[in-house]
């Protein structure tokens, strides 16, 4: 099968992709979209959106 990657190609991709870690953890704190995050966004956005829509309708 010519369209498959070889083991060597996969290993070289892995080494190149993860080389920027230099043996250390990335230190990234995951940020999740929770119900609280969505609710805060809605509360922050809804009045501004209604205001914009009322201007556009005029």
């Amino acid at each position: 099968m010519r369209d498959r990657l070889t083991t060597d190609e996969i290993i070289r991709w892995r080494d190149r992709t993860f080389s920027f870690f230099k043996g250390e953890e990335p230190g990234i704190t995951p940020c999740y979209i929770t119900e609280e995050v969505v609710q805060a966004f809605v509360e922050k956005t809804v009045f501004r959106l209604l205001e914009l829509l009322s201007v556009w309708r005029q």
Side-chain angles (χ1 to χ4, degrees):
M1 289 186 231
R2 299 159 95 193
D3 60 342
R4 305 280 185 207
L5 295 173
T6 66
T7 302
D8 185 55
E9 289 171 317
I10 293 170
I11 290 171
R12 284 186 291 139
W13 174 86
R14 181 200 61 195
D15 292 344
R16 188 194 74 218
T17 302
F18 293 109
S19 66
F20 64 91
F21 287 130
K22 296 181 176 98
E24 299 176 17
E25 292 289 326
I28 299 168
T29 304
C31 181
Y32 300 100
I33 298 175
T34 62
E35 185 176 341
E36 292 80 18
V37 170
V38 172
Q39 187 63 36
F41 172 79
V42 169
E43 290 173 4
K44 182 178 177 183
T45 307
V46 70
F47 294 111
R48 179 68 178 137
L49 182 58
L50 290 171
E51 185 179 85
L52 288 171
L53 289 173
S54 69
V55 170
W56 291 343
R57 289 183 187 147
Q58 296 177 2

